[in-house]
Amino acid sequence: MDIYKTLLRPLIFSNVQPDPEWWHHQTMQTLRALEATSGSPPGDWVKSQLARICCFQAPSLEVNLWGLRFPNPIGLAAGFDKNGEASTVWPSLGFGFMEMGTVTYHPQPGNPRPRMFRLPADLAAINRMGFNNQGAESLAQKLAFVKEKKGIHLPVPLGINLGKSKITPIEEAPGDYLSSFRLLKPWGDYFVVNVSSPNTPGLRSLQAANQLAPILDALQQENQGKKPILVKIAPDLEWEDIAEIIAVANQYQLAGIIATNTTIARDNLETKTINLTGKSVTEEAGGLSGAPLRQRSTEVIRFIYQQTGGKLPIIGTGGIFTAADAWEKITAGATLLEAYTGLIYEGPLMVRHILEGLVAKLEENGLNSITEAVGFAGK
């Protein structure tokens, strides 16, 4: 029996506590408590029991990319663990990698609450969190404590998603991203330049080639090819804009592209009114994630894969709930995948179910490895 779906989700989605952010806070509080016991016999025993239930391993699911080994292609998307509070726990929930953040150089509280909304009829969510986080220095200290003081080796790659501080003017964005990168460079296995969240004023303008180039230039000069750097793009861009970003990514030798962030579109939603505020769904600002984003994000993945001949790795995200969703994105051209909203709806067994389904898909198609499936739909 899936306890999450039968017992916990009905409670979480009830009106007992209607603010989804409250539930997220409770979840992170539990994970923080488990993180605090890492390296102790009781904590390690609990994590081993979680891993027994939630993890699924198969040699055919392993991905080797950027000199890193990913036990499987399903990662935790940025936004769930902004402050790196559960880095030792996520692998026990089955994830093949995890992305911390979005983190900004300056700590910031984010936008006023409420700022997170569920749309159950659409298997979706809207958030306008506004990069609420404790800042790059705090994240660096947490990761240093885990890796150096506790001596814990994380069994999966850890990515760090970088955003622009709200108080930093757009024209000073390169220095802001660079300051965060300098603090965090020792602790991340790969880095993501987030210029696509709709919840920081003016941020999406940084996706324009002439705005993005100075940021990437500053980071790569500091980086000197040591860490993979990717850019995360919005699903709402026109094809010519995505083509320009691909050109800039190639110019600055980026390691890949994450496709895609949340969308500002509100097309064809079953939900008309947000219960938490009583406002129309079109009145609530923020990025829409979940099932309504699935098709568009897959289209963007397919476009990038075709435009680059499959030479620029893609991390696909947007509407991944099942193995079928994951397979669609991989065969469109994604090498790795990330999930967030799906975890809210499907619960902690989601990753295991997806991985089991992917192995079945490989067998059905006569493939030996998940990397053979990348772009398979177009071959």
Side-chain angles (χ1 to χ4, degrees):
M1 182 179 70
D2 189 332
I3 294 174
Y4 179 82
K5 284 189 174 181
T6 56
L7 298 177
L8 293 179
R9 190 173 72 179
L11 175 63
I12 292 170
F13 279 59
S14 71
N15 287 320
V16 172
Q17 170 49 259
D19 186 356
E21 189 173 351
W22 185 89
W23 287 106
H24 184 87
H25 177 75
Q26 300 309 307
T27 300
M28 288 308 304
Q29 199 168 36
T30 302
L31 295 176
R32 276 197 302 272
L34 183 54
E35 172 92 350
T37 65
S38 292
S40 69
D44 290 345
W45 181 86
V46 172
K47 286 194 294 184
S48 72
Q49 295 308 300
L50 271 178
R52 184 177 61 83
I53 297 167
C54 299
C55 292
F56 177 79
Q57 295 182 342
S60 59
L61 295 175
E62 186 174 314
V63 177
N64 290 285
L65 183 65
W66 311 316
L68 302 171
R69 176 188 171 272
F70 298 79
N72 69 68
I74 309 299
L76 177 76
F80 210 110
D81 190 353
K82 292 174 182 289
N83 297 306
E85 296 172 304
S87 61
T88 69
V89 181
W90 296 114
S92 299
L93 293 174
F95 289 101
F97 65 105
M98 51 195 165
E99 196 169 302
M100 306 290 99
T102 297
V103 62
T104 55
Y105 178 63
H106 299 283
Q108 55 189 43
N111 294 322
R113 296 174 69 168
R115 53 193 180 181
M116 183 185 290
F117 312 96
R118 285 189 296 260
L119 287 65
D122 298 285
L123 296 177
I126 291 174
N127 92 81
R128 53 169 178 264
M129 304 299 289
F131 290 167
N132 57 307
N133 74 102
Q134 296 166 4
E137 186 173 359
S138 173
L139 177 57
Q141 290 171 353
K142 284 188 177 72
L143 296 177
F145 179 77
V146 167
K147 293 186 176 184
E148 289 194 335
K149 294 289 186 224
K150 284 198 167 187
I152 295 174
H153 170 73
L154 298 175
V156 304
L158 183 147
I160 299 177
N161 189 294
L162 306 176
K164 183 190 77 68
S165 305
K166 188 175 182 179
I167 63 171
T168 301
I170 288 290
E171 60 272 16
E172 297 176 17
D176 191 81
Y177 282 97
L178 180 59
S179 295
S180 293
F181 182 63
R182 281 175 172 160
L183 285 170
L184 292 161
K185 186 170 61 171
W187 313 115
D189 293 308
Y190 72 90
F191 288 83
V192 180
V193 179
N194 187 344
V195 287
S196 52
S197 169
N199 302 318
T200 296
L203 186 77
R204 282 190 167 193
S205 69
L206 296 176
Q207 292 176 110
N210 64 334
Q211 297 269 34
L212 182 59
I215 297 171
L216 301 181
D217 183 56
L219 292 177
Q220 289 292 44
Q221 284 196 47
E222 174 73 19
N223 185 37
Q224 294 296 306
K226 293 179 181 177
K227 295 293 174 81
I229 296 179
L230 298 83
V231 64
K232 187 171 186 176
I233 66 171
D236 309 305
L237 294 169
E238 299 294 336
W239 297 124
E240 55 265 32
D241 297 325
I242 298 175
E244 286 189 6
I245 290 174
I246 292 171
V248 173
N250 286 328
Q251 179 184 352
Y252 288 96
Q253 299 180 315
L254 292 193
I257 293 178
I258 298 188
T260 62
N261 213 318
T262 56
T263 179
I264 56 174
R266 299 290 188 268
D267 301 331
N268 304 315
L269 294 176
E270 293 290 328
T271 304
K272 304 304 177 188
T273 304
I274 301 296
N275 291 336
L276 189 59
T277 62
K279 292 182 179 179
S280 164
V281 70
T282 58
E283 292 181 69
E284 293 294 359
L288 178 74
S289 62
L293 184 57
R294 182 182 301 137
Q295 182 178 345
R296 176 60 182 174
S297 64
T298 302
E299 290 172 353
V300 174
I301 290 166
R302 186 176 297 112
F303 178 81
I304 296 170
Y305 185 82
Q306 292 172 347
Q307 291 291 305
T308 62
K311 294 179 180 178
L312 188 64
I314 303 163
I315 298 180
T317 181
I320 300 171
F321 289 65
T322 67
D325 302 331
W327 184 253
E328 182 181 61
K329 281 181 166 49
I330 291 170
T331 56
T335 300
L336 299 170
L337 304 172
E338 291 180 344
Y340 182 153
T341 306
L343 190 61
I344 298 169
Y345 284 92
E346 297 295 312
L349 288 177
M350 180 196 72
V351 176
R352 183 186 185 105
H353 291 159
I354 290 175
L355 297 176
E356 290 172 339
L358 287 178
V359 169
K361 292 282 189 184
L362 289 174
E363 292 172 354
E364 288 170 17
N365 289 274
L367 302 175
N368 297 314
S369 166
I370 198 68
T371 55
E372 293 179 17
V374 176
F376 187 69
K379 295 175 181 176

